[in-house]
Amino acid sequence: ILHDYIINNVKYDKERTDNNIIRYASNTAYGVLFEGYGICSGYSDTMALFLNYYNIPNYKVISENHVWNAVYINNNLF
């Protein structure tokens, strides 16, 4: 439900990723929640905020060019 809320209410900031045009704080939860635009780091920051609020164990995984959330559900890491 949390994932779907974010995905259904936020536009992916292609101007930032494709052309390095920065109009929004899309790399942060602020950009996702208040401006409606995000990239992977903004999406993962927002998801971490929601997961932390609901006390769902999680952490962000960072590679050279991507960020995502790892989540523990029923003692299993996803």
Side-chain angles (χ1 to χ4, degrees):
I1 292 171
L2 298 173
H3 168 271
D4 290 350
Y5 175 82
I6 295 168
I7 297 302
N8 291 328
N9 290 284
V10 178
K11 295 179 183 175
Y12 189 76
D13 191 356
K14 289 187 67 63
E15 286 187 335
R16 185 179 193 128
T17 58
D18 294 352
N19 302 315
N20 202 29
I21 297 171
I22 301 172
R23 296 180 198 266
Y24 309 102
S26 57
N27 61 322
T28 68
Y30 181 89
V32 169
L33 294 171
F34 294 102
E35 298 175 320
Y37 285 86
I39 60 174
C40 60
S41 56
Y43 283 113
S44 64
D45 285 353
T46 305
M47 182 61 111
L49 287 174
F50 288 158
L51 293 168
N52 290 338
Y53 178 82
Y54 287 105
N55 294 315
I56 299 170
N58 71 93
Y59 59 94
K60 289 187 278 185
V61 180
I62 302 169
S63 72
E64 187 174 314
N65 55 10
H66 192 55
V67 182
W68 64 98
N69 303 86
V71 180
Y72 280 97
I73 301 175
N74 296 326
N75 294 321
N76 292 306
L77 181 62
F78 291 92

Coordinates of all heavy atoms in Angstrom, one line a residue:
I1 N 0.8 -1.2 0.0 CA 0.0 0.0 0.0 C 0.9 1.3 0.0 O 0.6 2.2 -0.7 CB -1.0 0.0 1.2 CG1 -2.0 -1.1 1.1 CG2 -1.6 1.3 1.4 CD1 -2.8 -1.4 2.3
L2 N 1.9 1.3 0.8 CA 2.8 2.4 0.9 C 3.5 2.7 -0.5 O 3.5 3.8 -1.0 CB 3.9 2.2 2.0 CG 3.4 2.1 3.4 CD1 4.5 1.7 4.3 CD2 2.6 3.3 3.8
H3 N 4.0 1.6 -1.1 CA 4.7 1.7 -2.4 C 3.7 2.2 -3.4 O 4.0 3.1 -4.2 CB 5.2 0.3 -2.8 CG 5.6 0.2 -4.2 ND1 4.7 -0.1 -5.2 CD2 6.8 0.5 -4.8 CE1 5.4 -0.1 -6.3 NE2 6.7 0.3 -6.1
D4 N 2.5 1.7 -3.4 CA 1.5 2.1 -4.5 C 1.1 3.5 -4.3 O 0.9 4.2 -5.3 CB 0.3 1.2 -4.4 CG 0.6 -0.3 -4.9 OD1 1.7 -0.5 -5.4 OD2 -0.3 -1.1 -4.7
Y5 N 1.0 4.0 -3.0 CA 0.7 5.4 -2.8 C 1.7 6.3 -3.4 O 1.4 7.2 -4.1 CB 0.5 5.7 -1.3 CG 0.3 7.1 -1.1 CD1 -1.0 7.7 -1.2 CD2 1.4 8.0 -0.8 CE1 -1.2 9.1 -1.0 CE2 1.2 9.4 -0.6 CZ -0.1 9.9 -0.7 OH -0.3 11.2 -0.6
I6 N 3.0 6.0 -3.2 CA 4.1 6.8 -3.7 C 4.0 6.8 -5.2 O 4.1 7.8 -5.9 CB 5.4 6.4 -3.2 CG1 5.5 6.6 -1.7 CG2 6.6 7.1 -3.9 CD1 6.7 5.9 -1.0
I7 N 4.0 5.6 -5.8 CA 4.1 5.4 -7.3 C 2.9 6.1 -8.0 O 3.0 6.7 -9.0 CB 4.2 3.9 -7.6 CG1 5.4 3.3 -7.1 CG2 4.1 3.7 -9.1 CD1 6.7 4.0 -7.6
N8 N 1.7 6.0 -7.4 CA 0.5 6.5 -8.0 C 0.4 8.1 -7.8 O -0.5 8.7 -8.5 CB -0.7 5.8 -7.5 CG -0.8 4.4 -7.9 OD1 -0.3 4.1 -9.0 ND2 -1.4 3.5 -7.1
N9 N 1.2 8.7 -7.0 CA 1.0 10.1 -6.7 C 2.2 10.9 -7.0 O 2.2 12.1 -6.7 CB 0.6 10.3 -5.2 CG -0.8 9.8 -4.9 OD1 -1.8 10.5 -5.3 ND2 -0.9 8.6 -4.4
V10 N 3.2 10.3 -7.6 CA 4.5 11.1 -7.9 C 4.9 10.8 -9.3 O 4.8 9.7 -9.8 CB 5.6 10.6 -6.9 CG1 6.9 11.3 -7.2 CG2 5.2 10.8 -5.5
K11 N 5.4 11.8 -10.0 CA 5.9 11.7 -11.3 C 7.4 11.5 -11.3 O 8.1 12.2 -10.5 CB 5.6 12.9 -12.2 CG 4.1 13.1 -12.4 CD 3.9 14.3 -13.2 CE 2.4 14.5 -13.4 NZ 2.1 15.8 -14.1
Y12 N 8.0 10.6 -12.1 CA 9.4 10.4 -12.2 C 10.0 11.6 -12.9 O 9.6 12.1 -13.9 CB 9.7 9.1 -13.0 CG 11.2 8.8 -12.9 CD1 11.7 8.2 -11.7 CD2 12.1 9.1 -13.9 CE1 13.1 7.9 -11.6 CE2 13.4 8.8 -13.8 CZ 13.9 8.2 -12.7 OH 15.2 7.9 -12.6
D13 N 11.1 12.2 -12.3 CA 11.7 13.4 -12.8 C 12.7 13.1 -13.9 O 13.9 13.1 -13.6 CB 12.4 14.2 -11.6 CG 12.8 15.6 -12.0 OD1 12.7 15.9 -13.1 OD2 13.3 16.3 -11.0
K14 N 12.2 12.9 -15.1 CA 13.1 12.5 -16.2 C 14.0 13.7 -16.6 O 15.1 13.5 -17.1 CB 12.3 12.0 -17.4 CG 11.7 10.7 -17.2 CD 11.0 10.1 -18.4 CE 11.9 9.8 -19.5 NZ 13.0 8.8 -19.4
E15 N 13.5 15.0 -16.4 CA 14.3 16.1 -16.8 C 15.6 16.1 -16.0 O 16.7 16.4 -16.5 CB 13.6 17.4 -16.5 CG 12.5 17.7 -17.5 CD 11.9 19.1 -17.3 OE1 12.0 19.6 -16.1 OE2 11.4 19.7 -18.2
R16 N 15.5 15.7 -14.7 CA 16.7 15.6 -13.9 C 17.6 14.5 -14.3 O 18.8 14.7 -14.4 CB 16.3 15.5 -12.4 CG 17.5 15.6 -11.5 CD 17.1 15.5 -10.0 NE 18.1 15.8 -9.1 CZ 18.1 16.7 -8.2 NH1 16.9 17.4 -8.0 NH2 19.1 17.0 -7.4
T17 N 17.1 13.3 -14.5 CA 17.9 12.1 -14.8 C 18.4 12.1 -16.2 O 19.6 11.7 -16.4 CB 17.2 10.8 -14.5 OG1 16.0 10.8 -15.3 CG2 16.8 10.6 -13.1
D18 N 17.7 12.6 -17.1 CA 18.1 12.6 -18.5 C 18.9 13.8 -19.0 O 19.8 13.7 -19.8 CB 16.9 12.5 -19.5 CG 16.1 11.1 -19.3 OD1 16.6 10.3 -18.6 OD2 15.0 11.0 -19.9
N19 N 18.5 15.0 -18.4 CA 19.2 16.2 -18.9 C 19.8 17.1 -17.8 O 20.3 18.2 -18.1 CB 18.1 17.1 -19.6 CG 17.5 16.3 -20.8 OD1 18.1 15.7 -21.6 ND2 16.1 16.4 -20.8
N20 N 19.8 16.6 -16.6 CA 20.4 17.3 -15.5 C 19.8 18.6 -15.3 O 20.4 19.6 -14.8 CB 21.9 17.4 -15.6 CG 22.6 17.6 -14.2 OD1 22.1 17.2 -13.2 ND2 23.7 18.3 -14.2
I21 N 18.5 18.8 -15.6 CA 17.7 20.0 -15.3 C 17.1 19.8 -14.0 O 16.2 18.9 -13.8 CB 16.7 20.2 -16.4 CG1 17.4 20.4 -17.8 CG2 15.8 21.4 -16.1 CD1 16.4 20.5 -18.9
I22 N 17.4 20.7 -13.0 CA 16.9 20.5 -11.7 C 15.9 21.6 -11.4 O 16.2 22.8 -11.2 CB 18.1 20.6 -10.6 CG1 19.1 19.5 -10.9 CG2 17.6 20.5 -9.2 CD1 20.4 19.6 -10.1
R23 N 14.6 21.2 -11.4 CA 13.5 22.1 -11.1 C 12.9 21.8 -9.8 O 12.2 22.6 -9.2 CB 12.4 22.0 -12.2 CG 12.8 22.4 -13.6 CD 11.6 22.2 -14.5 NE 12.1 22.2 -15.9 CZ 12.2 23.3 -16.7 NH1 11.8 24.4 -16.2 NH2 12.6 23.1 -17.9
Y24 N 13.1 20.5 -9.3 CA 12.4 20.1 -8.1 C 13.5 19.4 -7.2 O 14.5 19.0 -7.6 CB 11.4 19.0 -8.4 CG 10.4 19.5 -9.4 CD1 10.5 19.0 -10.8 CD2 9.4 20.4 -9.1 CE1 9.6 19.4 -11.7 CE2 8.5 20.8 -10.1 CZ 8.6 20.3 -11.4 OH 7.7 20.7 -12.3
A25 N 13.2 19.3 -5.9 CA 14.0 18.6 -5.0 C 13.7 17.1 -5.0 O 13.4 16.4 -4.0 CB 13.9 19.1 -3.6
S26 N 13.7 16.5 -6.3 CA 13.2 15.2 -6.5 C 14.1 14.1 -6.0 O 13.7 12.9 -5.9 CB 13.0 15.0 -8.0 OG 14.2 15.2 -8.7
N27 N 15.3 14.5 -5.5 CA 16.2 13.5 -4.9 C 16.0 13.4 -3.4 O 16.7 12.7 -2.7 CB 17.6 13.9 -5.2 CG 18.0 15.2 -4.6 OD1 17.2 16.1 -4.6 ND2 19.2 15.3 -4.1
T28 N 14.9 14.0 -2.9 CA 14.6 14.0 -1.5 C 13.1 13.7 -1.2 O 12.3 13.8 -2.2 CB 14.9 15.4 -0.8 OG1 14.0 16.3 -1.3 CG2 16.3 15.8 -1.1
A29 N 12.8 13.3 0.0 CA 11.4 13.1 0.3 C 10.6 14.4 0.2 O 9.4 14.3 -0.2 CB 11.3 12.6 1.8
Y30 N 11.2 15.5 0.4 CA 10.5 16.8 0.2 C 9.9 16.9 -1.3 O 8.8 17.2 -1.5 CB 11.4 18.0 0.5 CG 10.6 19.3 0.3 CD1 9.9 19.9 1.4 CD2 10.6 20.0 -0.9 CE1 9.3 21.1 1.2 CE2 10.0 21.2 -1.1 CZ 9.3 21.7 0.0 OH 8.6 22.9 -0.2
G31 N 10.8 16.6 -2.2 CA 10.4 16.7 -3.6 C 9.2 15.7 -3.9 O 8.3 16.0 -4.7
V32 N 9.3 14.5 -3.4 CA 8.3 13.5 -3.6 C 7.0 13.9 -2.9 O 5.9 13.9 -3.6 CB 8.7 12.1 -3.1 CG1 7.6 11.2 -3.0 CG2 9.9 11.6 -3.9
L33 N 7.0 14.3 -1.7 CA 5.8 14.6 -0.9 C 5.2 16.0 -1.2 O 4.0 16.1 -1.1 CB 6.1 14.5 0.6 CG 6.5 13.0 1.0 CD1 7.0 13.1 2.5 CD2 5.3 12.1 0.9
F34 N 6.0 17.0 -1.4 CA 5.5 18.3 -1.6 C 5.5 18.9 -3.0 O 4.7 19.8 -3.3 CB 6.2 19.3 -0.6 CG 6.0 19.0 0.8 CD1 6.9 18.3 1.5 CD2 4.8 19.3 1.4 CE1 6.7 18.0 2.9 CE2 4.6 19.0 2.8 CZ 5.5 18.3 3.5
E35 N 6.4 18.4 -3.8 CA 6.4 18.9 -5.2 C 5.9 17.9 -6.2 O 5.6 18.2 -7.3 CB 7.9 19.2 -5.6 CG 8.4 20.3 -4.7 CD 9.9 20.6 -4.9 OE1 10.7 19.7 -5.1 OE2 10.2 21.8 -4.9
G36 N 5.8 16.6 -5.8 CA 5.2 15.6 -6.7 C 6.1 15.0 -7.7 O 5.7 14.3 -8.6
Y37 N 7.4 15.2 -7.5 CA 8.4 14.7 -8.5 C 9.5 13.9 -7.7 O 9.9 14.4 -6.6 CB 9.1 15.8 -9.3 CG 8.2 16.3 -10.4 CD1 7.3 17.3 -10.1 CD2 8.2 15.7 -11.6 CE1 6.4 17.8 -11.1 CE2 7.3 16.2 -12.6 CZ 6.5 17.2 -12.3 OH 5.6 17.7 -13.3
G38 N 10.0 12.8 -8.2 CA 11.0 12.1 -7.5 C 11.9 11.3 -8.5 O 11.6 11.0 -9.6
I39 N 13.1 11.0 -8.0 CA 14.0 10.0 -8.6 C 14.2 8.9 -7.5 O 13.7 9.0 -6.4 CB 15.3 10.7 -9.1 CG1 16.0 11.3 -8.0 CG2 15.0 11.6 -10.2 CD1 17.4 11.9 -8.4
C40 N 15.0 8.0 -7.8 CA 15.1 6.8 -6.9 C 15.5 7.2 -5.5 O 14.9 6.7 -4.5 CB 16.1 5.8 -7.4 SG 17.8 6.4 -7.7
S41 N 16.4 8.2 -5.3 CA 16.7 8.6 -3.9 C 15.6 9.2 -3.2 O 15.3 9.0 -2.0 CB 18.0 9.5 -3.9 OG 17.8 10.6 -4.7
G42 N 14.8 10.0 -3.9 CA 13.6 10.6 -3.3 C 12.5 9.6 -3.0 O 11.9 9.7 -1.9
Y43 N 12.3 8.7 -3.9 CA 11.4 7.6 -3.6 C 11.8 6.8 -2.4 O 11.0 6.5 -1.5 CB 11.3 6.7 -4.8 CG 10.5 7.2 -6.0 CD1 11.1 7.5 -7.2 CD2 9.1 7.3 -5.9 CE1 10.3 7.9 -8.3 CE2 8.3 7.8 -7.0 CZ 9.0 8.1 -8.2 OH 8.2 8.5 -9.2
S44 N 13.1 6.4 -2.3 CA 13.5 5.6 -1.2 C 13.5 6.3 0.1 O 13.2 5.8 1.2 CB 14.9 5.0 -1.5 OG 15.9 6.0 -1.6
D45 N 13.8 7.6 0.1 CA 13.7 8.5 1.3 C 12.3 8.5 1.8 O 12.0 8.4 3.0 CB 14.2 9.9 1.1 CG 15.7 10.0 1.0 OD1 16.4 9.0 1.2 OD2 16.2 11.1 0.6
T46 N 11.4 8.7 0.9 CA 10.0 8.7 1.3 C 9.5 7.4 1.8 O 8.8 7.3 2.8 CB 9.1 9.1 0.1 OG1 9.6 10.4 -0.4 CG2 7.6 9.3 0.4
M47 N 9.9 6.3 1.2 CA 9.5 5.0 1.6 C 10.0 4.7 3.0 O 9.3 4.2 3.9 CB 9.9 3.9 0.6 CG 9.5 2.5 1.0 SD 7.7 2.3 1.1 CE 7.5 1.3 -0.2
A48 N 11.3 5.1 3.2 CA 11.9 4.9 4.5 C 11.1 5.7 5.6 O 10.9 5.2 6.7 CB 13.4 5.3 4.5
L49 N 10.7 6.9 5.3 CA 9.9 7.7 6.3 C 8.6 6.9 6.7 O 8.3 6.8 7.8 CB 9.5 9.0 5.7 CG 10.6 10.1 5.6 CD1 10.1 11.3 4.9 CD2 11.1 10.5 7.0
F50 N 7.9 6.4 5.6 CA 6.7 5.7 5.9 C 6.9 4.4 6.7 O 6.2 4.1 7.6 CB 6.0 5.4 4.6 CG 5.3 6.5 3.9 CD1 5.0 6.5 2.5 CD2 5.0 7.7 4.6 CE1 4.4 7.5 1.9 CE2 4.4 8.8 3.9 CZ 4.1 8.7 2.6
L51 N 7.9 3.7 6.2 CA 8.3 2.4 6.9 C 8.7 2.6 8.4 O 8.2 1.9 9.3 CB 9.4 1.7 6.2 CG 9.0 1.1 4.8 CD1 10.2 0.7 4.0 CD2 8.0 0.0 4.9
N52 N 9.5 3.7 8.6 CA 9.9 4.0 10.0 C 8.7 4.4 10.8 O 8.6 4.0 12.0 CB 10.9 5.1 10.0 CG 12.2 4.6 9.5 OD1 12.6 3.5 9.4 ND2 13.0 5.6 9.0
Y53 N 7.8 5.1 10.3 CA 6.6 5.5 11.0 C 5.8 4.3 11.5 O 5.2 4.3 12.6 CB 5.7 6.4 10.1 CG 4.4 6.9 10.8 CD1 4.4 7.9 11.6 CD2 3.2 6.2 10.5 CE1 3.2 8.3 12.3 CE2 2.0 6.6 11.1 CZ 2.1 7.6 12.0 OH 0.9 8.0 12.6
Y54 N 5.7 3.3 10.6 CA 5.0 2.1 11.0 C 5.8 1.0 11.6 O 5.4 -0.1 11.8 CB 4.3 1.5 9.7 CG 3.1 2.3 9.3 CD1 3.2 3.2 8.2 CD2 1.9 2.3 10.0 CE1 2.1 4.0 7.8 CE2 0.8 3.1 9.6 CZ 0.9 3.9 8.5 OH -0.1 4.7 8.2
N55 N 7.0 1.4 12.0 CA 8.0 0.5 12.7 C 8.3 -0.8 11.9 O 8.4 -1.8 12.5 CB 7.4 0.2 14.1 CG 7.4 1.4 15.0 OD1 8.4 2.1 15.1 ND2 6.3 1.5 15.7
I56 N 8.4 -0.6 10.6 CA 8.8 -1.7 9.8 C 10.3 -1.6 9.5 O 10.8 -0.6 9.0 CB 8.0 -1.7 8.4 CG1 6.5 -1.8 8.7 CG2 8.5 -2.8 7.5 CD1 5.6 -1.5 7.5
P57 N 11.0 -2.6 10.0 CA 12.5 -2.6 9.8 C 12.9 -2.5 8.3 O 12.4 -3.2 7.5 CB 13.0 -3.9 10.4 CG 11.9 -4.4 11.3 CD 10.6 -3.8 10.7
N58 N 13.8 -1.5 8.1 CA 14.2 -1.3 6.7 C 15.5 -0.6 6.7 O 16.0 0.0 7.7 CB 13.2 -0.5 6.0 CG 13.1 1.0 6.4 OD1 13.8 1.8 5.8 ND2 12.4 1.3 7.5
Y59 N 16.2 -0.6 5.5 CA 17.4 0.2 5.3 C 17.5 0.5 3.8 O 16.9 -0.2 3.0 CB 18.6 -0.4 5.9 CG 19.0 -1.7 5.4 CD1 19.9 -1.8 4.3 CD2 18.5 -2.9 6.0 CE1 20.3 -3.1 3.8 CE2 18.9 -4.1 5.5 CZ 19.8 -4.2 4.5 OH 20.1 -5.5 4.0
K60 N 18.2 1.6 3.5 CA 18.4 1.9 2.1 C 19.6 1.2 1.5 O 20.6 1.2 2.2 CB 18.5 3.4 1.9 CG 17.1 4.1 2.1 CD 17.2 5.6 1.8 CE 17.8 6.3 3.0 NZ 17.8 7.8 2.8
V61 N 19.5 0.7 0.3 CA 20.6 0.1 -0.4 C 21.1 1.0 -1.5 O 20.2 1.5 -2.2 CB 20.2 -1.3 -0.9 CG1 21.4 -1.9 -1.7 CG2 19.7 -2.2 0.2
I62 N 22.3 1.3 -1.5 CA 22.9 2.3 -2.5 C 23.9 1.6 -3.4 O 24.8 1.0 -2.9 CB 23.5 3.5 -1.8 CG1 22.4 4.1 -0.9 CG2 24.0 4.5 -2.8 CD1 23.0 5.2 0.1
S63 N 23.7 1.8 -4.7 CA 24.8 1.3 -5.7 C 25.3 2.6 -6.3 O 25.0 3.7 -5.9 CB 24.2 0.4 -6.7 OG 23.3 1.1 -7.6
E64 N 26.1 2.4 -7.3 CA 26.7 3.5 -8.0 C 25.7 4.5 -8.6 O 25.9 5.7 -8.6 CB 27.7 3.0 -9.1 CG 28.5 4.1 -9.7 CD 29.5 3.6 -10.7 OE1 30.2 2.6 -10.3 OE2 29.6 4.1 -11.8
N65 N 24.6 4.0 -9.1 CA 23.6 4.8 -9.7 C 22.2 4.5 -9.4 O 21.3 4.8 -10.2 CB 23.8 4.8 -11.3 CG 23.8 3.4 -11.8 OD1 23.4 2.5 -11.1 ND2 24.1 3.3 -13.1
H66 N 21.9 3.9 -8.2 CA 20.6 3.6 -7.9 C 20.4 3.5 -6.4 O 21.4 3.2 -5.7 CB 20.1 2.3 -8.6 CG 18.6 2.1 -8.5 ND1 17.7 3.0 -8.9 CD2 17.9 1.0 -8.0 CE1 16.5 2.5 -8.7 NE2 16.6 1.3 -8.1
V67 N 19.3 3.8 -5.8 CA 19.0 3.6 -4.4 C 17.6 2.9 -4.3 O 16.7 3.2 -5.0 CB 18.9 5.0 -3.7 CG1 18.6 4.8 -2.2 CG2 20.1 5.8 -3.9
W68 N 17.5 1.9 -3.4 CA 16.2 1.3 -3.1 C 16.2 0.9 -1.7 O 17.1 1.0 -0.9 CB 16.0 0.1 -4.1 CG 17.0 -1.0 -3.9 CD1 16.9 -2.2 -3.2 CD2 18.4 -1.1 -4.5 NE1 18.0 -3.0 -3.3 CE2 18.9 -2.3 -4.1 CE3 19.1 -0.3 -5.3 CZ2 20.2 -2.7 -4.4 CZ3 20.4 -0.7 -5.7 CH2 20.9 -1.9 -5.2
N69 N 15.0 0.4 -1.3 CA 14.8 0.0 0.1 C 14.8 -1.5 0.3 O 14.2 -2.2 -0.5 CB 13.4 0.5 0.6 CG 13.3 2.0 0.5 OD1 12.9 2.5 -0.6 ND2 13.6 2.7 1.5
A70 N 15.5 -2.0 1.3 CA 15.4 -3.4 1.7 C 14.5 -3.4 3.0 O 14.6 -2.5 3.8 CB 16.7 -3.9 2.1
V71 N 13.5 -4.3 3.0 CA 12.5 -4.3 4.1 C 12.4 -5.7 4.7 O 12.4 -6.7 4.0 CB 11.1 -3.9 3.5 CG1 10.1 -3.9 4.5 CG2 11.2 -2.6 2.8
Y72 N 12.3 -5.7 6.0 CA 12.1 -7.0 6.7 C 10.6 -7.2 6.9 O 9.9 -6.3 7.5 CB 12.8 -7.0 8.1 CG 14.2 -7.3 8.0 CD1 15.2 -6.3 8.0 CD2 14.7 -8.6 7.9 CE1 16.5 -6.5 8.0 CE2 16.1 -8.9 7.9 CZ 17.0 -7.8 7.9 OH 18.3 -8.1 7.8
I73 N 10.1 -8.3 6.4 CA 8.7 -8.7 6.6 C 8.6 -10.1 7.1 O 9.2 -11.0 6.4 CB 7.8 -8.5 5.3 CG1 7.9 -7.0 4.8 CG2 6.4 -8.9 5.5 CD1 7.3 -6.8 3.5
N74 N 8.0 -10.3 8.2 CA 8.0 -11.6 8.8 C 9.4 -12.3 8.9 O 9.6 -13.4 8.6 CB 7.0 -12.6 8.1 CG 5.6 -12.1 8.1 OD1 5.2 -11.5 9.1 ND2 4.9 -12.3 7.0
N75 N 10.3 -11.4 9.4 CA 11.7 -11.9 9.6 C 12.4 -12.3 8.3 O 13.5 -12.9 8.3 CB 11.8 -13.0 10.6 CG 11.4 -12.5 12.0 OD1 11.8 -11.4 12.4 ND2 10.7 -13.4 12.7
N76 N 11.9 -11.9 7.2 CA 12.6 -12.1 5.9 C 12.9 -10.8 5.2 O 12.1 -9.9 5.3 CB 11.6 -12.9 4.9 CG 11.4 -14.3 5.4 OD1 12.3 -15.1 5.7 ND2 10.1 -14.7 5.6
L77 N 14.1 -10.7 4.6 CA 14.5 -9.5 4.0 C 14.1 -9.5 2.5 O 14.3 -10.5 1.8 CB 16.1 -9.4 4.0 CG 16.7 -8.2 3.4 CD1 16.2 -6.9 4.1 CD2 18.2 -8.3 3.5
F78 N 13.4 -8.4 2.1 CA 13.0 -8.3 0.7 C 13.6 -7.0 0.1 O 13.7 -6.0 0.8 CB 11.4 -8.1 0.7 CG 10.8 -9.4 1.0 CD1 10.3 -9.7 2.3 CD2 10.5 -10.4 0.0 CE1 9.7 -10.9 2.6 CE2 9.9 -11.6 0.3 CZ 9.5 -11.8 1.6

